[in-house]
């Protein structure tokens, strides 16, 4: 089998919680060796973010919960107390041998430990140093801590998410998953990969990559934010309505709901036929997509009445025959039971010390020549400390002495 795309790349990962760890996990999936630095005793903050935790065969409490498990596969866990001089020395020694160093501490925190970019650059000029923060390395908010939900609010995402004004429960709403963390992790990975390519192709220079949740969420608002930049008006919340073609949204049927997106005029005509109301396609209010956007509430109300006549499966079957994009509203049990999801292998099994068939979500990228086929379970806290420190000259006696001092 061909080597993975990032084979030979070594990453020192000082990130915690979600955005940074997700980025490091993506790079680890692609073949990079990722050394995760965790606090002795407690480890990554995510380990304490609550249940569910894996069950220990002996009934002991442990720190392997879903939040940690989702973002830390294919890594090595090394415990180091970076608040101590000896711990800082260990991190610097490891950094000398790495291509990339990642961190998500508050701006300036690592400078007092001489683990900031300038300090690491002095001992490894080619290092790609990626800082992941809430608000970035510069600007008046730079010193602030930032979590996903705060940035969903401050970045404008919540202002355009939620029920339509006038509907029950209308008002700003957070997106369910920590979507800003995930997107920030993707941007971090793109930044690191771009910097690695630049270093290889353009003379061997390293650099500091600054990625933050605030920039990411604003950039992610794409056409929503562009509407404001064009006309100065914030788009209204649309609930489940689509973002282009109309009509688009959730429609209730006799036994449940489905999601429909009518993307163009041809699809609209065919949908009207499926619904038994072909005359709607020639109604002057609905002839073109722009017309249907203007008269959105009217066409959505008409469609709502028509969909109430038959069950979900009937409509999905007929819409598929007509080539109109639609789908069921699945919960997670339905997602992972879906034959297409199974065929794509989105659920992978790993051998974890506490659960030999632990399910994880596979990396979403598929390569023809360098496929990601093997996954290693998210490591137990400190599982690789001894082996990794041996690579920088720490023998067993030295490691035991450091353990006694709670440095590792």
């Amino acid at each position: 089998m061909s080597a993975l795309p990032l084979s030979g790349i070594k990453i020192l990962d000082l990130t915690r919680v979600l955005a940074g760890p997700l980025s490091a996990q993506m790079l680890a999936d692609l073949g990079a060796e990722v050394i995760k630095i965790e606090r002795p005793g407690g480890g990554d903050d995510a380990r304490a973010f609550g249940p569910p935790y894996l069950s220990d065969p002996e009934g002991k409490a442990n720190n392997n919960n879903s939040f940690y498990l989702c973002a830390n596969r294919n890594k090595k866990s090394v415990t180091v107390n970076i608040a101590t001089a000896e711990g800082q020395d260990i991190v610097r020694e490891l950094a000398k041998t790495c291509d990339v160093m990642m961190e998500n501490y508050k701006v300036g925190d690592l400078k007092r430990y001489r683990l900031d970019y300038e300090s690491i650059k002095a001992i490894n000029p080619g290092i790609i140093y990626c800082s992941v923060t809430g608000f970035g390395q510069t600007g008046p908010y730079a010193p602030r801590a930032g979590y996903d939900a705060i940035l969903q609010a401050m970045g404008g995402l919540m202002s355009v998410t939620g029920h339509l004004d006038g509907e029950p429960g209308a008002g700003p709403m957070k997106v369910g998953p920590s979507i800003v963390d995930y997107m920030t992790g993707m941007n971090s990975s793109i930044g690191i990969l771009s910097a690695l390519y630049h270093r290889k192709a353009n003379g061997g220079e390293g650099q500091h990559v600054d990625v933050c949740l605030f920039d990411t969420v604003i950039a992610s608002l794409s056409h929503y934010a562009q509407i404001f930049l064009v006309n100065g008006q914030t788009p209204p919340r649309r609930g489940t309505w689509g973002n282009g073609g109309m009509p688009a949204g959730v429609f209730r049927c006799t036994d449940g709901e489905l999601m429909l997106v009518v993307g163009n005029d041809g699809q609209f005509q065919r949908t009207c036929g499926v619904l038994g109301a072909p005359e709607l396609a020639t109604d002057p209010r609905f002839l073109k997509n722009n017309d249907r956007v203007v008269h959105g509430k009217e066409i959505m109300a008409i469609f709502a009445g028509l969909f109430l006549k038959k069950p979900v499966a009937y409509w999905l079957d007929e819409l598929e025959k007509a080539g109109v994009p639609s789908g069921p509203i699945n919960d997670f049990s339905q997602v992972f039971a879906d034959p297409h999801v199974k065929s794509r292998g989105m659920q992978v099994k790993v051998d974890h010390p506490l659960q030999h068939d632990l399910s994880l979500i596979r990396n979403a990228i598929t390569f023809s020549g360098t496929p990601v086929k093997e996954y290693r379970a998210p490591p137990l806290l400190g599982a690789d400390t001894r082996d990794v420190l041996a690579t920088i000259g720490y023998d067993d006696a030295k490691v035991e002495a450091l353990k006694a001092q709670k440095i590792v």
Side-chain angles (χ1 to χ4, degrees):
M1 187 178 78
S2 300
L4 289 168
L6 297 185
S7 294
I9 297 295
K10 193 172 181 180
I11 298 174
L12 186 59
D13 177 20
L14 274 70
T15 65
R16 303 144 296 153
V17 188
L18 197 55
L22 278 169
S23 174
Q25 176 175 265
M26 292 175 197
L27 302 174
D29 288 346
L30 302 182
E33 177 186 359
V34 175
I35 299 168
K36 181 180 179 71
I37 302 298
E38 301 195 65
R39 285 180 295 113
D44 187 327
D45 294 351
R47 291 182 182 270
F49 272 25
Y53 288 85
L54 294 183
S55 298
D56 186 286
E58 299 176 7
K60 297 177 182 176
N62 68 86
N63 53 20
N64 299 281
N65 64 355
S66 295
F67 212 102
Y68 175 81
L69 294 172
C70 82
N72 289 287
R73 63 169 174 255
N74 288 336
K75 301 179 186 179
K76 298 176 179 178
S77 174
V78 175
T79 49
V80 180
N81 182 355
I82 66 169
T84 65
E86 295 93 336
Q88 294 154 23
D89 287 340
I90 289 171
V91 173
R92 279 191 291 273
E93 281 301 309
L94 289 170
K96 289 179 183 178
T97 69
C98 287
D99 301 282
V100 178
M101 181 167 167
M102 302 173 63
E103 58 90 11
N104 67 340
Y105 286 77
K106 283 186 184 179
V107 174
D109 267 13
L110 291 183
K111 189 169 186 178
R112 57 192 169 131
Y113 298 148
R114 291 189 298 123
L115 298 176
D116 59 305
Y117 173 59
E118 293 301 329
S119 299
I120 300 301
K121 180 184 177 183
I123 59 174
N124 183 350
I127 196 84
I128 307 301
Y129 188 106
C130 181
S131 295
V132 183
T133 57
F135 296 94
Q137 298 296 300
T138 59
Y141 298 162
R144 294 188 185 183
Y147 288 95
D148 179 277
I150 303 299
L151 278 306
Q152 287 199 33
M154 292 183 68
L157 178 57
M158 284 178 61
S159 77
V160 293
T161 304
H163 294 294
L164 280 72
D165 285 339
E167 289 189 353
M173 186 178 292
K174 187 183 81 67
V175 177
S178 301
I179 194 69
V180 182
D181 277 325
Y182 188 84
M183 293 187 296
T184 302
M186 295 177 73
N187 279 345
S188 300
S189 298
I190 292 167
I192 289 167
L193 293 172
S194 300
L196 284 169
Y197 179 81
H198 170 74
R199 189 182 70 179
K200 182 175 182 178
N202 301 314
E205 291 184 1
Q207 59 182 302
H208 192 186
V209 179
D210 171 10
V211 184
C212 72
L213 277 73
F214 205 17
D215 294 350
T216 293
V217 68
I218 294 169
S220 77
L221 291 170
S222 57
H223 55 284
Y224 269 76
Q226 194 64 47
I227 290 171
F228 170 78
L229 294 175
V230 167
N231 66 13
Q233 297 180 12
T234 296
R237 288 181 293 277
R238 297 177 179 174
T240 64
W241 287 26
N243 295 320
M246 179 62 74
V250 170
F251 291 97
R252 186 174 298 279
C253 310
T254 58
D255 61 346
E257 297 84 25
L258 60 79
M259 184 73 196
L260 172 78
V261 177
V262 176
N264 56 50
D265 296 338
Q267 290 178 6
F268 179 67
Q269 292 168 8
R270 298 196 298 277
T271 306
C272 293
V274 167
L275 290 170
E279 68 280 1
L280 291 173
T282 56
D283 189 310
R285 297 171 296 172
F286 311 135
L287 278 177
K288 299 293 182 184
N289 192 70
N290 280 342
D291 302 322
R292 296 192 295 277
V293 171
V294 172
H295 296 281
K297 288 188 176 179
E298 296 166 67
I299 189 59
M300 290 293 284
I302 293 170
F303 268 36
L306 295 171
F307 272 107
L308 276 171
K309 296 180 177 180
K310 293 183 183 294
V312 171
Y314 172 84
W315 290 126
L316 291 178
D317 186 51
E318 293 301 311
L319 289 166
E320 183 175 351
K321 290 177 186 174
V324 178
S326 61
I329 300 171
N330 290 332
D331 60 23
F332 290 153
S333 65
Q334 293 167 315
V335 169
F336 288 105
D338 187 286
H340 186 82
V341 176
K342 286 185 172 182
S343 76
R344 297 290 294 176
M346 288 306 298
Q347 180 176 342
V348 296
K349 297 284 188 180
V350 297
D351 185 4
H352 188 280
L354 299 183
Q355 187 174 322
H356 293 303
D357 61 346
L358 175 65
S359 291
L360 299 176
I361 305 165
R362 80 158 170 88
N363 189 292
I365 304 171
T366 302
F367 296 89
S368 64
T370 56
V372 180
K373 289 187 174 180
E374 295 184 20
Y375 294 90
R376 298 189 310 279
L380 298 178
L381 180 60
D384 305 286
T385 301
R386 195 177 301 274
D387 290 343
V388 170
L389 295 192
T391 67
I392 54 172
Y394 287 74
D395 60 20
D396 281 353
K398 179 66 172 174
V399 171
E400 288 301 322
L402 291 171
K403 284 179 68 175
Q405 301 171 69
K406 295 186 172 17
I407 294 168
V408 302

